[in-house]
Amino acid sequence: MALFEARGLHKRFGDRVVLEAIDLAFDAGTLTGIMGPNGAGKTTCFHCLTGYHRPDRGRIVFDGEDIGGLRPHEIVRRGVARSFQAINLFDADTVLDNVVVALPEVRRRVADAWGDLARDSGAQDRAAEVLARVGLAGRERARAKDLAYGERRALEIALALASGPRILFLDEPTSGLGADGTARLGELVSELKRTLTMVVIEHDMRFLFGLADTIAVIHWGQVIAGGTPRELRDNPWVARSALAEDPC
Ligand SMILES: Nc1ncnc2c1ncn2[C@@H]1O[C@H](COP(=O)(O)OP(=O)(O)OP(=O)(O)O)[C@@H](O)[C@H]1O
Ligand SMILES: [Mg+2]
């Protein structure tokens, strides 16, 4: 049985149907790529899977439990984490503090004074470990707003990792990164893939085809194709977008 599964997800905004009937299954230990044109419903699908949108119909099952209808923080607590398409950080705080407040033991103690939490050396050590995992060791005391763009993307992933997830959803992690940043992110994702189940929305096909075990193509609110990168190379929609992206 898949670790995470969605069946018949349907989502409309007013009379606009964005997700018709999405079926997806993510096996433990795999990296699934999600592709599709702009406006296809990929982010809306992630919002539904992680509790930010309530689907109008459909079932979402994580590790045998129906998590449809749970709030985002309840879903995080079960081991599901995500990043967002637009970067979402506390800019005025340090890199370390951004991660400290994302740690589950700290989130549970919201009633405590923030100053006590920030001085909690155990939490700081755990946050520093998470930062080291994403290549931000040595940047703990920098303000989030002073990070380079690629470092901000890495910090976002650190925030998601701080909750100790079993499955991690990334929404266009290479967006805005140049060739070097994308290569570094590729190394980070392959490292994370060793211990986590991952689902990654990406427009950068070279990045995705190099990392994914399987790929699902979302178009017109449905999964129109799925398979290994090798199987999908012959798919007409994938071939067309590859040509559009890489004219040589
Ligand atoms: N809260 C909302 N209210 C109304 N329409 C919405 C809402 N959120 C998304 N949509 C619409 O749903 C459609 C799918 O949007 P979504 O952001 O899921 O696409 P996407 O596949 O992630 O696109 P992109 O590749 O550009 O990020 C779009 O037409 C968008 O305008
Ligand atoms: Mg999107």
Side-chain angles (χ1 to χ4, degrees):
M1 196 177 83
L3 177 65
F4 194 113
E5 203 163 342
R7 287 283 156 234
L9 275 195
H10 180 89
K11 179 69 187 171
R12 59 168 68 225
F13 296 107
D15 56 8
R16 170 142 169 51
V17 174
V18 174
L19 303 181
E20 185 62 56
I22 294 277
D23 292 327
L24 287 166
F26 311 126
D27 288 331
T30 61
L31 189 149
T32 305
I34 308 278
M35 297 177 55
N38 292 117
K42 305 179 298 296
T43 296
T44 303
C45 179
F46 267 26
H47 285 333
C48 289
L49 299 181
T50 54
Y52 286 84
H53 284 330
R54 185 178 282 251
D56 300 303
R57 288 198 297 277
R59 239 166 91 77
I60 305 169
V61 176
F62 172 57
D63 200 15
E65 183 190 4
D66 189 337
I67 59 166
L70 294 183
R71 312 277 301 158
H73 69 274
E74 294 169 322
I75 293 179
V76 169
R77 207 178 297 143
R78 282 164 175 74
V80 179
R82 66 170 294 181
S83 73
F84 289 85
Q85 193 167 351
I87 288 179
N88 218 343
L89 300 170
F90 295 111
D91 274 340
D93 291 320
T94 66
V95 168
L96 190 75
D97 285 348
N98 265 273
V99 180
V100 166
V101 292
L103 293 169
E105 68 267 36
V106 171
R107 290 192 160 213
R108 274 196 295 274
R109 289 157 47 197
V110 281
D112 294 2
W114 157 242
D116 290 344
L117 293 174
R119 279 188 293 275
D120 176 337
S121 63
Q124 290 197 352
D125 290 347
R126 283 185 294 283
E129 278 166 27
V130 175
L131 286 169
R133 261 183 102 184
V134 303
L136 287 175
R139 301 293 276 147
E140 296 85 353
R141 302 290 160 197
R143 301 273 159 202
K145 66 177 165 44
D146 296 326
L147 294 182
Y149 186 81
E151 292 178 316
R152 289 170 66 78
R153 283 264 163 220
L155 177 54
E156 261 235 321
I157 294 175
L159 298 191
L161 292 176
S163 64
R166 294 172 60 198
I167 185 165
L168 176 62
F169 290 83
L170 301 178
D171 192 349
E172 292 197 33
T174 73
S175 151
L177 293 177
D180 288 353
T182 300
R184 267 197 296 279
L185 186 78
E187 284 166 22
L188 170 59
V189 170
S190 354
E191 183 58 37
L192 295 176
K193 199 184 139 171
R194 292 153 51 121
T195 51
L196 277 173
T197 304
M198 298 183 73
V199 188
V200 182
I201 295 176
E202 255 305 330
H203 286 289
D204 183 333
M205 292 185 36
R206 194 167 293 149
F207 178 86
L208 203 58
F209 275 61
L211 289 165
D213 299 298
T214 57
I215 291 177
V217 182
I218 293 184
H219 204 353
W220 302 299
Q222 308 208 40
V223 177
I224 58 157
T228 64
R230 183 186 289 264
E231 287 162 349
L232 274 193
R233 268 181 221 283
D234 298 330
N235 176 275
W237 186 87
V238 174
R240 257 201 315 280
S241 23
L243 283 175
E245 197 179 80
D246 189 3
C248 55

